[in-house]
Amino acid sequence: MKPREHPKQSAHTKPLDLHAQSLVICLGPGGVGKTTISAALAVRAAMLGCAVDVMTVDPAPRLLDALGLAPDSSEPVEVQLDGIRVPRRGGASKRGRLRALRLDPKRTFDSIVARYAQSDAARDAILENRIYRSLSGALAGVADYMAMEKLLELSANPATDLLVLDTPPATEAIDFLDAPRRLLELLNSRAAVLLGAPGGLFRRQLRMVDVAARAVLAAFDRVTGLNLLSDVRSFVRSFDGMYEGFSARAARAQEKLRGQDTAIVIVTTAESSRIAQAREFIVALEHAGLRVAAIVVNRVLAELPDAAELSSAPIAPSLKRKLKRNLADYAALKARQEISLDALRESLPAGAALMFAPDLGREPRTIADLAEIGRSLRAG
Amino acid sequence: MTLPRVLFVTGKGGTGKSTVAAALAIALSRRRPTTLADLDRRRSAAALVGASAENSTAVRVTDSLDVVALTPRAELEAFIERIVPIRAISRRMLRSRTFGYVTAALPGLEAFLLLERLRIMGGDAALKDRYLVIDAPASGSAVELLSVSSGVKGIAPAGTLNRLADSIGSFLGDATRFGAIITMTPEDLAVREALETAATIRERLGIVTVAAMMNCVPDLLFDTSELAATSPLGGHARLAVRRNAAHEQAALVMAQFADAGLPTISLPMMFTPAIGPGELEKLGRVLDARLLDR
């Protein structure tokens, strides 16, 4: 393929400086290898001598093995960096180290409720509530919020230089970063007034739409026999008094996200649909006033071998033909990647680094694989 | 074999779910009128067959292929408009933030309404002798979506909703009406997720997996002696090994799936700079031969 001009490229060739960060958040669509890239960045930082914690969301079993994590490790576990050079830093006794943990959204949510509930009865009322139980289990958004909570907890540890955070797959980048605010708004909104108000008492203060919303819920309850209205009402009510605690946490999370030493990293692959999603993420983040520090394109095909090598190679003509065809096939795939990558380069935000992680041609299974990916991250 | 009326295509992100759904819809539409329902927010399956589908309105692509885009939100809106017949009020209510929070606190309501809509479309397909191909969300969210009706049954012990949940449950569990197609690539993670998805939907919801699709399988180009002969060639040798390894990994997994009683179809890797009508046509022909004619 003809080499192209990338006028913007020179501005972005500086890779992400992991030393300068205290928090790296990896965001991206599902199926792009976010967890792998998070772990590879963490291993890389540990190799550079940082004390690193990496929090993963849904790691593949092999990745769990590589990190030495049990399936339910929700507390940090020291990762054995066997055979990987980890320098001593600044001549001192401190060495790079890596700890890993898995996010357990349900357990984290429960512990926050326990922390902020004003009484044991209030705590139990929430934990037993049907809405809470479905909300804290599967519902999208809760995992986001909980990752944010755990982030604050982990980043409070002064012995850790860098926290690398893997996030749940999102359809919208902002879902994750916006989670604390959304939960707060739910608790502090007119919904609370609407649902908490005893019948009739505040009716005059409610707008027509609120009355209608309540009417719909009531109708829905009648039709369904669910009695959800009272559940929602008691859910919102039982959070009464916890608002302060949540509010303070959310404000701190927002502050942390916008910190100078926080890097938001978008992970994608070179597939056109994923690149399109990554571009949407970037736009949404910029819209929210958040800066994207780097974009990591995972599984970028390596440079292809030279076709000219084949003509002089001492092999059978039939094999030569096959090798030529194989080369042409992968060249087509590489061309497909290049088309999408060009589109990405066009829309790269100012100051963001573009980095490529190699397609190893196999799935990462060991710390050494992760180290290889981390080492081979290159400017795109 | 007789295919169910409704084919629910899911799989791990990045395994070509939308491409397979689009190719399948095209192949089926050659035999019988077909609707492709795009549940993906990005509408990639619809775009692949050349339609910019609007919410809930079917767009005709060919004489025998329609495309429709469905979202949980649109189903909720339709539901609210049925309950609150005064348009001005229902519209304002849907726009109000308060209502947004309330619906957010009613977990699964939107998804439940979406499933009910699929059930109705499935009934319609049976009546009109059509196929319905669904480009569903990626497997994690798809399992959540499908499980919503059994969840509702758990919390709504009686009433209309319970009856609706019942009929959705029997629709999903009826192999003549509903079946899943699960896409994967020759990679551990994708394969594991496909197996898990098939097991979960079968055990929890009684849903039959019509076929697993092993996507992106390169044809076998080199035999063992040829591979050995290429080994001094550095980059060329690595590329040859890579191609063969992907092929062999796919073959291995397909044998495992066959042992597990899960029919699996292999789809060729498209070594082309783009996936367009030509590639869909090729995939469609493979599907026609291996799924529809078997």
Side-chain angles (χ1 to χ4, degrees), chain B residues 10-29:
Chain B
T10 183
K12 183 173 161 52
T15 59
K17 175 180 65 63
S18 299
T19 309
V20 169
L24 181 61
I26 290 172
L28 284 170
S29 72

Side-chain angles (χ1 to χ4, degrees), chain A residues 198-225:
Chain A
L201 195 59
F202 297 114
R203 183 143 297 187
R204 251 175 306 166
Q205 295 169 15
L206 297 176
R207 291 175 304 167
M208 186 173 66
V209 284
D210 295 332
V211 176
R214 179 140 76 178
V216 167
L217 276 178
F220 190 72
D221 274 359
R222 266 200 314 278
V223 172
T224 59

Side-chain angles (χ1 to χ4, degrees), chain A residues 118-133:
Chain A
Q118 299 204 317
S119 67
D120 289 356
R123 182 197 63 209
D124 294 344
I126 293 172
L127 297 182
E128 293 299 310
N129 186 287
R130 195 163 64 187
I131 300 293
Y132 172 77
R133 281 163 61 169

Side-chain angles (χ1 to χ4, degrees), chain B:
Chain B
M1 77 172 267
T2 324
L3 287 176
R5 291 290 165 183
V6 181
L7 292 153
F8 185 91
V9 185
T10 183
K12 183 173 161 52
T15 59
K17 175 180 65 63
S18 299
T19 309
V20 169
L24 181 61
I26 290 172
L28 284 170
S29 72
R30 302 269 151 79
R31 298 182 171 231
R32 229 176 259 177
T34 300
T35 303
L36 173 63
D38 201 332
L39 264 56
D40 192 344
R41 196 183 58 89
R42 303 190 48 77
R43 311 258 181 275
S44 25
L48 277 168
V49 299
S52 56
E54 292 293 323
N55 271 354
S56 313
T57 318
V59 176
R60 175 141 294 196
V61 181
T62 67
D63 282 347
S64 57
L65 181 60
D66 288 347
V67 178
V68 62
L70 299 178
T71 61
R73 179 71 193 175
E75 296 312 309
L76 178 70
E77 289 179 7
F79 174 77
I80 298 301
E81 284 176 4
R82 279 203 301 276
I83 294 191
V84 185
I86 304 167
R87 274 248 146 147
I89 296 182
S90 62
R91 282 283 152 82
R92 276 189 60 190
M93 202 171 78
L94 285 164
R95 278 202 309 270
S96 94
R97 277 147 64 102
T98 306
F99 190 74
Y101 304 131
V102 173
T103 52
L106 291 176
L109 174 59
E110 291 181 328
F112 183 80
L113 295 169
L114 182 61
L115 269 189
E116 170 63 4
R117 162 85 169 203
L118 291 179
R119 185 187 69 84
I120 292 168
M121 287 176 73
D124 197 45
L127 214 62
K128 295 183 180 152
D129 196 19
R130 298 175 66 91
Y131 283 120
L132 175 63
V133 177
I134 300 165
D135 183 22
S139 26
S141 324
V143 170
E144 259 175 55
L145 169 68
L146 294 171
S147 307
V148 156
S149 70
S150 63
V152 163
K153 268 185 73 65
I155 57 171
T160 313
L161 203 59
N162 185 282
R163 283 195 298 279
L164 279 182
D166 259 341
S167 52
I168 292 175
S170 57
F171 162 65
L172 297 180
D174 179 351
T176 66
R177 286 193 284 168
F178 189 91
I181 287 191
I182 305 175
T183 58
M184 57 186 167
T185 50
E187 285 166 12
D188 290 342
L189 205 53
V191 167
R192 183 179 66 101
E193 200 165 310
L195 271 178
E196 272 178 14
T197 305
T200 308
I201 60 177
R202 186 186 61 234
E203 285 155 20
R204 206 191 286 174
L205 304 159
I207 295 173
V208 168
T209 297
V210 176
M213 301 278 174
M214 178 59 88
N215 198 11
C216 303
V217 181
D219 48 343
L220 193 67
L221 204 50
F222 306 97
D223 62 30
T224 321
S225 64
E226 284 174 327
L227 274 190
T230 58
S231 61
L233 288 174
H236 292 284
R238 278 196 294 278
L239 216 51
V241 167
R242 180 191 175 118
R243 182 186 195 119
N244 269 34
H247 180 93
E248 275 154 17
Q249 165 79 0
L252 200 70
V253 170
M254 289 184 55
Q256 283 170 7
F257 274 51
D259 286 345
L262 205 59
T264 310
I265 289 168
S266 144
L267 294 174
M269 169 72 112
M270 292 288 143
F271 285 107
T272 52
I275 298 288
E279 285 72 28
L280 289 182
E281 190 65 45
K282 267 185 215 156
L283 289 172
R285 275 203 296 276
V286 176
L287 286 169
D288 204 81
R290 297 189 186 161
L291 181 67
L292 311 184
D293 270 346
R294 73 177 180 192

Side-chain angles (χ1 to χ4, degrees), chain A residues 184-197:
Chain A
L184 266 182
E185 279 200 3
L186 169 63
L187 296 177
N188 191 35
S189 69
R190 294 172 58 85
V193 178
L194 161 73
L195 294 161

